């Protein structure tokens, strides 16, 4: 196989420490980081003067294809939003809709510096196709809901196994599959126990929504006499391989359970604020040593997939929640969007930091812009002043996905038309 090299020169590199220098990519990996690198026969040289080089951001909870439902049902609580608006529309989804929505979301994520995502939805082979073509990295789960119905339960396991067999470890290893039981209030005990058994058998992770609203806690208490994480623990679902999204309403005992079991969390502050679900006690969870990462949730409840916005929102929300401006500083929230995201997906040895030997998932942020001047503390600027539109260049697995803000693997105009048509078609059926 022919070797492909990319040399990035004169960047401000945000690694174990911040330093000005150069970085060499060989095929899919970072092979050298130095003050100056002399390399022959490189395929591409990027002059990154006035640009900050960071790891690609990791979005640990989203529903890509929901980008087709952006702006469809705003300003509602979760329960009404799902039952009266989103689920009736989702009943008419097909694979073409999900492909178009996922490709649109990939374009939006790449343009805002995300190189890895964790998705739960339907028609996940169509989502895998979009992610493969876009060149992005992703973990995909078919969202399982049985509402206690045995036939539905069987169908959910059948579809999950189909997706595992078709998509797991494809696209040069960029695409992985996990189990996606939707939540403790939409999945029966039998389904959740089955997921634990099958996840152990396949050696795959589990992605679930948990403790998002007060209503969920009340409903689970009424049905099982336990709070959501207590119940999930009692039935044996929790473990180091579980990534739970939201974790807003937590008792002290539940925080202990999460810590003890090594459960990873995905904090989704914009979605939690927009649906008025509540505020996750993130600074307390981090203090306890729990791995808290960052997610956007879908574009129908956010309504954006920009992790730069999410970093700033996460930091500000904790400060106003605790009335303490020192909590969740820029460095901590940057870690949530990078190395904690990687660890939440079990990919911490491959991505999440800029290190020799790691995968070349790299983002260059242009600091030569009024809102990022003066060029001072890069991590502060990234969290508090930048947004996705400041991202200039994106590389994933050593492949150039965006250069000088131009998408390289996706035809942006065609994807926008495709998504407009798919959204109209979906809504005309609903
Ligand atoms: C079964 S596939 C995923 C399922 O989740 C729905 N969804 C999107 N956002 C949320 C959220 O914040 N809480 C709970 N469920 C959510 C989505 O519409 C799909 O039906
Ligand atoms: Zn969600």
């Amino acid at each position: 196989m022919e070797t492909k090299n990319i040399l990035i020169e004169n960047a401000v590199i945000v690694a174990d420490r911040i330093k000005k220098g150069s970085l060499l990519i060989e095929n899919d990996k970072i092979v050298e980081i130095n003050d100056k690198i002399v390399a022959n026969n490189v395929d591409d040289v990027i002059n990154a003067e006035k640009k900050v080089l960071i790891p690609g951001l990791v979005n640990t909870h989203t529903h890509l294809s929901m980008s087709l439902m952006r702006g469809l049902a705003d300003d509602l609580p979760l329960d009404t939003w799902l039952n009266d608006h989103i689920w009736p529309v989702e009943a008419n989804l097909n694979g073409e809709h999900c492909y178009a929505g996922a490709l649109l979301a990939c374009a939006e994520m790449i343009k805002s510096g995300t190189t890895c995502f964790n998705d739960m939805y339907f028609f996940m082979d169509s989502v895998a196709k979009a992610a493969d073509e876009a060149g992005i990295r992703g973990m995909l789960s078919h969202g399982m809901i049985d509402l206690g119905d045995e036939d539905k339960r069987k169908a959910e396991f059948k579809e999950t196994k189909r997706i595992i067999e078709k998509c797991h470890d494809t696209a040069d290893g960029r695409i992985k599959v996990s189990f996606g039981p939707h939540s403790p209030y939409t999945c029966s005990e039998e389904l959740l126990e089955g997921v634990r058994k099958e996840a152990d058998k396949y050696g795959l992770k589990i992605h679930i929504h948990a403790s998002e609203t007060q209503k969920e806690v009340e409903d689970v208490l009424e049905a099982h006499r336990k709070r959501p994480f207590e119940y999930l623990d009692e039935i044996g679902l929790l473990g180091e391989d579980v990534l739970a999204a939201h974790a807003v309403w937590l008792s002290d005992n539940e925080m202990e359970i999460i810590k003890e079991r090594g459960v990873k969390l995905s904090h989704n502050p914009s979605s939690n604020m927009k649906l008025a679900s509540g505020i996750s006690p993130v600074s307390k969870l981090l203090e306890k040593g729990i791995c808290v990462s960052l997610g956007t949730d879908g574009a129908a409840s956010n309504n954006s997939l920009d992790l730069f916005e999410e970093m700033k929102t996460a930091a500000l929300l904790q400060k106003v929640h605790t009335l303490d401006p020192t909590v969740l500083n820029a460095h901590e929230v940057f870690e949530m969007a990078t190395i904690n995201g990687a660890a939440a997906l079990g990919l911490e040895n491959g991505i999440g930091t800029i290190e020799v030997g790691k995968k070349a998932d790299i983002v260059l942020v242009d600091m030569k812009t009024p809102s990022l001047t003066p060029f001072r503390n890069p991590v502060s600027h990234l969290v508090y002043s930048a947004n996705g539109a400041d991202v200039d260049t994106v590389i994933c697995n050593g492949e150039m996905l965006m250069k000088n803000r131009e998408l390289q693997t996706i035809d942006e105009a065609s994807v926008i038309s495709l998504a407009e048509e798919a959204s109209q078609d979906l809504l005309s059926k609903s």
Side-chain angles (χ1 to χ4, degrees), residues 164-177:
I164 294 171
E165 270 143 37
K166 187 168 173 190
C167 307
H168 183 60
D169 232 346
T170 57
D172 300 324
R174 279 185 288 111
I175 294 175
K176 310 271 186 212
V177 176

Side-chain angles (χ1 to χ4, degrees), residues 62-81:
T62 188
H63 312 279
L64 294 193
S65 307
M66 291 187 86
S67 60
L68 295 188
M69 293 166 220
R70 195 194 317 264
L72 185 68
D74 292 326
D75 313 318
L76 295 165
L78 177 70
D79 191 37
T80 319
W81 180 76

Side-chain angles (χ1 to χ4, degrees), residues 119-381:
D119 201 55
M120 177 204 290
Y121 212 54
F122 310 106
F123 301 98
M124 294 310 284
D125 43 347
S126 301
V127 177
K129 182 171 182 280
D132 185 7
E133 288 171 13
I136 199 166
R137 197 180 293 286
M139 188 168 282
L140 318 179
S141 52
H142 165 68
M144 307 167 90
I145 294 181
D146 71 341
L147 302 169
D149 180 308
E150 198 183 338
D151 290 342
K152 280 201 187 111
R153 186 156 56 249
K154 280 190 184 145
E156 296 297 39
F157 278 103
K158 192 169 167 209
E159 177 64 2
T160 296
K161 288 179 189 175
R162 183 181 79 83
I163 297 298
I164 294 171
E165 270 143 37
K166 187 168 173 190
C167 307
H168 183 60
D169 232 346
T170 57
D172 300 324
R174 279 185 288 111
I175 294 175
K176 310 271 186 212
V177 176
S178 62
F179 282 83
H182 174 262
S183 70
Y185 58 95
T186 50
C187 297
S188 65
E189 201 169 315
E190 290 85 347
L191 186 145
L192 295 168
E193 284 169 351
V195 163
R196 168 43 67 209
K197 216 170 106 202
E198 295 296 310
D200 286 344
K201 193 170 109 192
Y202 281 92
L204 297 181
K205 303 210 173 286
I206 300 172
H207 178 197
I208 188 167
H209 296 92
S211 274
E212 184 174 1
T213 60
Q214 276 179 308
K215 181 175 181 334
E216 172 182 341
V217 175
E218 284 158 18
D219 290 352
V220 174
L221 264 171
E222 194 180 309
H224 306 287
R225 297 178 182 279
K226 296 249 171 330
R227 295 176 64 89
F229 278 97
E230 293 170 345
Y231 163 62
L232 294 174
D233 192 38
E234 184 185 55
I235 63 172
L237 185 93
L238 300 183
E240 289 180 0
D241 53 0
V242 173
L243 172 51
H246 300 300
V248 171
W249 296 96
L250 302 173
S251 64
D252 287 346
N253 185 41
E254 284 178 296
M255 289 192 225
E256 280 314 305
I257 290 172
I258 290 167
K259 166 92 181 135
E260 279 274 297
R261 299 289 176 226
V263 172
K264 319 292 190 296
L265 302 179
S266 174
H267 176 46
N268 294 217
S270 298
S271 173
N272 296 156
M273 289 166 74
K274 183 157 183 275
L275 298 166
S277 302
I279 306 174
S280 175
V282 170
S283 44
K284 210 165 162 186
L285 293 162
L286 286 171
E287 249 170 51
K288 286 182 183 290
I290 292 166
C291 173
V292 187
S293 60
L294 206 56
T296 56
D297 217 346
S301 64
N302 184 302
N303 296 2
S304 147
L305 303 178
D306 182 345
L307 274 177
F308 282 88
E309 273 181 21
E310 215 60 34
M311 284 196 284
K312 181 170 180 173
T313 304
L316 301 192
L317 185 61
Q318 282 307 294
K319 293 174 199 301
V320 74
H321 178 52
T322 56
L323 297 179
D324 180 355
T326 67
V327 301
L328 207 57
N329 64 38
H331 177 74
E332 286 172 309
V333 83
F334 183 70
E335 283 192 338
M336 285 173 68
T338 53
I339 188 61
N340 291 12
L345 300 178
L347 301 175
E348 67 275 26
N349 295 324
I351 61 168
T353 53
I354 300 298
E355 275 177 77
V356 168
K358 279 206 168 179
K359 294 282 186 188
D361 287 12
I362 288 172
V363 167
L364 293 175
V365 180
D366 184 8
M367 293 272 164
K368 210 170 160 190
T369 167
S371 52
L372 301 176
T373 302
F375 186 46
R376 185 169 286 135
N377 176 345
V379 176
S380 163
H381 277 14

Side-chain angles (χ1 to χ4, degrees), residues 29-41:
K29 292 220 174 79
I30 300 170
V31 292
E32 190 177 349
I33 304 171
N34 241 318
D35 296 349
K36 275 221 170 327
I37 297 175
V38 182
N40 297 318
N41 301 325

Side-chain angles (χ1 to χ4, degrees), residues 46-101:
I46 298 172
N47 182 6
E49 189 70 45
K50 279 271 184 181
K51 295 194 175 78
V52 171
L53 187 157
I54 60 172
L57 304 180
V58 183
N59 185 344
T60 56
H61 179 69
T62 188
H63 312 279
L64 294 193
S65 307
M66 291 187 86
S67 60
L68 295 188
M69 293 166 220
R70 195 194 317 264
L72 185 68
D74 292 326
D75 313 318
L76 295 165
L78 177 70
D79 191 37
T80 319
W81 180 76
L82 278 177
N83 283 297
D84 301 348
H85 299 270
I86 299 299
W87 282 339
V89 173
E90 286 178 345
N92 296 310
L93 276 169
N94 61 37
E96 284 79 49
H97 298 133
C98 288
Y99 170 74

